[in-house]
């Protein structure tokens, strides 16, 4: 028995402010062999740390959060631009992207696995596994992004196949049974491999699905208890408005938000929610950015519909004035939906503050915004600016943000600060379009960046909580350090950050993956320790 005790790996986190389940308290935390054993005040050291395989971590003055979960990332992203033969690929792979995320306090990511032309859902999943295995510094899962059936790169994006829902196989010599696999049959195979969510898009070249295709996917997901997540913009209107801008020789990035106004997003949000209502299934809306969209979401909540929504830091902190920067410098901020006006930012911030950390996500009495993810998609800056000179729509859309997601929100929301304290942000941050501060409690912050993602996407209660028995994926967050975001600090690839020059408060003092310390004082000390997350289907677990 003594020999077995000697082999136990113990970690004791002392003197931290433990934040979990809508509550915060001063306590110590004992971890054994990668799982949380107990959280209570003044855990006596005794013989706990006499063994070589034991560590003591001092968390005095720090918050102890469940490890941050970035619910949407796009590492190894590939974008198809209309009129171009070759796709645009992100230089950011799992190695660089997850290292950046880990340094920022993120222990788990869920990456979007694009179903490319001719692939089955299993093919798309296999390709992502190959990219992440032995390279990821975060634990990782996958959403599979479904693309138009029988879609060839040369075909129009709105082409509808004869048999909606049939997705071609990569090998033309596959058996007839495999060739005709339906979405439902393919979902069965991928759900058995730990996928519990799928993404669809209502716009985008080689991405846009028709309403009938989305409806069939919703019904297939319902059979499995899987969640369908949608990028909501009216693709037909976007195409028309882009062509209108280009026809009038308005090619600069300043035309990007004009081609994708809030009404284009709000209409698609309403339509997607109507499809979900018809299918009678919960859904998730990505990247809510506009006040008009919130109005449509409110109407659906009033009629009793159950669904979830998320946003990203850029839609809380940056405005569309950045597209009007000199020359083609605005190209670095191109994302879909585009950055919005201050009135939209304020509406989202107000909605976030309305939320309650102790209520389950998606409940009618909680905030309409359940998650803040990065939707990280990094593309080479020089290539983006070069492409934008041919027209703003030629620049690959997406912004890097996995490394700074937590620090940006922690800072902008004044997490943990006295509400009466004077804002200490330097005056020059206004030039960087850092939004006026709003307020989140540490518990609400934890819900948005860790607990709700775990509950919505099938990771709870193994993750997203600090309860006894949970996996010890933990972020110890020191609120004291201040830093200015800059290219010299970036661990992701692409050559820039849209948050250049913004001062942030706080950093990850320690990040633990399965009880193993992988980050110390914001520096990654153990790389490539991530493991695949087999996610459960079904909808949020209660607290």
């Amino acid at each position: 028995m003594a020999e077995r005790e000697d082999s136990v790996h113990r970690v004791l986190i002392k003197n931290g402010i433990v934040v979990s389940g809508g509550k915060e308290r001063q306590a110590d935390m004992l971890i054994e062999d990668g799982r949380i054993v107990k959280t209570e005040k003044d855990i006596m050291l005794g013989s706990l740390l006499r063994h070589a395989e034991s560590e003591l971590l001092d968390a005095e003055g720090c918050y102890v959060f469940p490890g941050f979960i970035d619910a949407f990332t796009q590492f190894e992203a590939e974008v198809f631009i209309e009129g171009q033969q070759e796709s645009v690929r992100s230089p950011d792979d799992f190695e660089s992207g997850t290292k950046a995320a880990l340094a920022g306090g993120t222990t788990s990511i869920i990456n979007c696995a694009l179903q490319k032309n001719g692939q089955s859902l299993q093919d798309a999943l296999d390709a992502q596994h190959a990219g992440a295995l032995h390279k990821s510094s975060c634990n990782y899962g996958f959403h599979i992004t479904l693309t138009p059936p029988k879609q060839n790169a040369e075909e129009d994006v709105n082409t509808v196949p004869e048999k909606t829902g049939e997705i071609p196989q990569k090998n033309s010599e596959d058996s007839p049974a495999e060739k005709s696999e339906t979405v439902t049959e393919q979902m069965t195979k991928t759900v058995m491999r730990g996928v519990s969510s799928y993404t669809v898009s209502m716009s985008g070249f080689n991405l846009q699905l028709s309403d009938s295709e989305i409806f069939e996917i919703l019904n297939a997901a319902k059979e499995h208890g899987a969640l369908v997540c949608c990028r909501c913009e009216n693709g037909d209107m976007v195409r028309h408005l882009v062509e209108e801008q280009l026809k009038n020789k308005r090619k600069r990035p300043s035309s990007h938000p004009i081609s994708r106004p809030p009404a284009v997003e709000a209409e698609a949000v309403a339509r997607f929610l109507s499809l979900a209502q018809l299918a009678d299934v919960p859904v998730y809306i990505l990247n809510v950015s506009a006040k008009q969209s919130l109005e449509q979401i409110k109407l659906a909540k009033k009629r009793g519909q159950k669904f979830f929504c998320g946003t990203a830091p850029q839609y809380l902190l940056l405005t569309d004035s950045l597209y009007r920067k000199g020359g083609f410098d605005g190209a670095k901020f191109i994302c879909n939906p585009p950055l919005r006006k201050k009135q939209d930012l304020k509406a989202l911030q107000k909605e976030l503050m309305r939320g309650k950390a102790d209520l389950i996500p998606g409940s009618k009495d909680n905030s309409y915004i359940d998650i803040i993810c990065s939707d990280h998609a990094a593309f080479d800056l020089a290539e983006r600016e070069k492409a934008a000179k041919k027209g703003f729509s030629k620049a690959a859309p997406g912004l890097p943000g996995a490394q700074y997601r937590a620090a940006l929100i922690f800072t902008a929301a004044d997490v943990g600060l006295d509400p009466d304290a004077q804002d200490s942000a330097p005056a020059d941050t206004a030039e960087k379009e850092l939004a006026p501060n709003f307020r989140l409690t540490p518990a609400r912050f934890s819900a948005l960046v860790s607990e709700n993602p775990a509950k919505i996407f099938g990771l709870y209660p193994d993750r997203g909580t600090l309860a006894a028995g949970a996996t010890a994926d933990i972020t110890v967050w020191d609120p004291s350090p201040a830093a200015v975001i800059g290219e010299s600090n970036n661990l992701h690839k692409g050559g820039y950050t849209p948050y250049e020059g913004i001062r942030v408060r706080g950093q990850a003092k320690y990040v633990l993956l399965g009880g193993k310390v992988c980050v110390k004082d914001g520096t990654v000390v153990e790389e490539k320790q991530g493991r695949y997350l087999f996610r459960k289907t079904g909808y949020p677990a209660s607290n």
Side-chain angles (χ1 to χ4, degrees):
M1 180 64 72
E3 184 176 346
R4 189 194 70 81
E5 286 291 326
D6 288 346
S7 68
V8 174
H9 178 252
R10 293 187 179 92
V11 178
L12 183 60
I13 301 175
K14 292 285 290 181
N15 307 315
I17 304 169
V18 177
V19 183
S20 182
K23 300 176 183 178
E24 54 182 281
R25 58 181 174 133
Q26 192 84 32
D28 302 337
M29 182 179 296
L30 178 63
I31 299 162
E32 291 186 353
D33 286 340
R35 293 204 170 263
I36 298 169
V37 174
K38 60 181 176 179
T39 302
E40 58 187 47
K41 282 188 175 182
D42 302 320
I43 296 177
M44 300 300 293
L45 293 177
S47 62
L48 292 178
L49 300 178
R50 292 177 184 172
H51 309 291
E53 290 297 311
S54 298
E55 297 176 82
L56 175 64
L57 305 179
D58 184 10
E60 181 74 38
C62 299
Y63 294 104
V64 181
F65 292 113
F68 301 154
I69 299 171
D70 199 342
F72 285 89
T73 58
Q74 298 185 68
F75 304 131
E76 298 192 350
E78 185 174 1
V79 175
F80 297 90
I81 307 295
E82 190 164 9
Q84 293 185 190
Q85 290 283 341
E86 295 184 0
S87 62
V88 180
R89 296 174 182 269
S90 169
D92 229 5
D93 57 13
F94 280 92
E95 184 172 346
S96 59
T98 59
K99 183 177 179 180
L102 182 68
T106 294
T107 56
S108 298
I109 59 103
I110 309 178
N111 203 60
C112 294
L114 178 66
Q115 177 200 18
K116 299 177 186 177
N117 181 40
Q119 284 187 329
S120 68
L121 300 188
Q122 291 226 79
D123 291 335
L125 183 58
D126 289 341
Q128 286 283 291
H129 274 297
L133 187 63
H134 305 312
K135 297 176 185 176
S136 183
S137 292
C138 296
N139 296 320
Y140 56 93
F142 303 116
H143 312 282
I144 300 180
T145 300
L146 288 91
T147 53
K150 297 184 178 178
Q151 177 69 53
N152 294 315
E154 295 80 13
E155 293 178 337
D156 184 84
V157 70
N158 295 314
T159 299
V160 179
E162 292 181 5
K163 292 185 178 180
T164 304
E166 290 189 4
I167 300 177
Q169 304 301 299
K170 180 170 59 176
N171 189 341
S172 62
E173 297 180 358
D174 286 341
S175 69
E178 290 176 328
K179 284 183 181 179
S180 61
E181 278 188 322
T182 64
V183 172
T184 300
E185 291 167 338
Q186 293 197 54
M187 275 191 183
T188 299
K189 293 180 179 179
T190 51
V191 163
M192 290 176 65
R193 295 175 63 187
V195 175
S196 67
S197 52
Y198 300 82
T199 65
V200 297
S201 180
M202 302 176 88
S203 67
F205 184 64
N206 279 3
L207 288 173
Q208 182 177 336
L209 294 168
S210 69
D211 288 356
S212 61
E213 289 165 351
I214 291 173
F215 186 66
E216 183 163 359
I217 291 166
L218 290 171
N219 281 306
K222 182 179 179 180
E223 290 188 30
H224 297 90
L227 193 65
V228 176
C229 313
C230 188
R231 298 181 182 273
C232 294
E233 289 183 290
N234 184 318
D236 292 342
M237 283 308 304
V238 167
R239 176 173 289 183
H240 174 79
L241 293 170
V242 167
E243 290 175 353
E244 191 175 74
Q245 292 298 306
L246 297 179
K247 190 185 345 181
N248 290 310
K249 302 188 184 304
R250 296 170 185 158
K251 294 185 175 183
R252 292 181 178 272
S254 56
S255 294
H256 179 60
I258 299 172
S259 72
R260 306 176 101 99
V264 161
E265 177 186 328
E267 185 281 331
V269 166
R271 184 156 40 95
F272 179 61
L273 289 175
S274 294
L275 293 171
Q277 184 183 29
L278 287 169
D280 190 26
V281 62
V283 292
Y284 181 93
I285 299 172
L286 281 86
N287 292 350
V288 176
S289 71
K291 183 179 179 181
Q292 277 183 254
S293 297
L294 286 175
E295 292 167 356
Q296 296 300 323
I297 290 165
K298 182 178 181 180
L299 289 173
K301 290 286 187 180
K302 278 188 173 181
R303 65 178 178 245
Q305 205 168 339
K306 181 70 175 289
F307 59 95
F308 315 101
C309 300
T311 192
Q314 59 263 35
Y315 302 119
L316 297 165
L317 308 178
L318 306 177
T319 72
D320 63 358
S321 65
L322 291 167
Y323 293 122
R324 299 189 290 276
K325 298 188 76 170
F328 287 87
D329 195 43
K332 68 173 65 172
F333 301 101
I334 288 178
C335 56
N336 297 333
L339 305 179
R340 300 298 189 192
K341 298 189 180 301
K342 286 186 177 180
Q343 66 189 40
D344 296 294
L345 273 63
K346 289 179 180 178
L348 288 174
Q349 293 168 5
K350 183 178 179 180
E351 187 56 38
L352 285 173
M353 289 190 290
R354 194 177 66 83
K356 300 291 189 295
D358 58 346
L359 295 179
I360 64 171
S363 64
K364 64 178 182 178
D365 297 322
N366 208 345
S367 167
Y368 304 148
I369 303 295
D370 302 295
I371 289 175
I372 300 175
C373 66
S374 72
D375 200 27
H376 178 108
F379 294 96
D380 182 81
L381 178 59
E383 290 183 8
R384 293 186 85 185
E385 291 181 341
K386 181 180 178 181
K389 290 178 181 178
K390 300 176 184 177
F392 65 89
S393 63
K394 302 301 182 184
L399 301 182
Q403 184 172 348
Y404 304 117
R405 174 184 64 125
L408 286 164
I409 301 305
F410 191 86
T411 303
D414 281 351
V415 176
L417 289 184
D418 182 348
D420 297 323
Q422 186 176 0
D423 179 18
S424 59
D428 66 349
T429 56
E431 298 177 8
K432 307 299 182 184
E433 299 295 335
L434 184 64
N437 286 347
F438 53 106
R439 301 283 176 182
L440 296 176
T441 64
R444 176 66 175 146
F445 171 79
S446 180
L448 289 164
V449 302
S450 175
E451 298 176 48
N452 287 353
K455 292 175 180 178
I456 292 171
F457 291 110
L459 295 172
Y460 184 87
D462 196 48
R463 289 174 170 82
T465 179
L466 297 178
T471 295
D473 285 0
I474 297 168
T475 301
V476 179
W477 189 263
D478 187 346
S480 300
V484 177
I485 295 174
E487 170 59 21
S488 61
N489 302 319
N490 294 344
L491 296 177
H492 64 261
K493 295 178 181 178
Y496 84 105
T497 169
Y499 306 104
E500 183 83 30
I502 291 179
R503 183 179 294 273
V504 292
R505 177 175 64 91
Q507 72 172 15
K509 183 171 185 178
Y510 302 109
V511 179
L512 286 73
L513 260 64
K516 185 173 186 177
V517 177
C518 293
V519 172
K520 292 183 179 180
D521 296 322
T523 299
V524 176
V525 295
E526 289 284 350
E527 297 182 42
K528 303 176 183 178
Q529 300 298 308
R531 296 182 178 182
Y532 178 60
L533 299 170
F534 189 102
R535 296 183 294 126
K536 303 183 293 292
T537 54
Y539 306 111
S542 59
N543 289 312

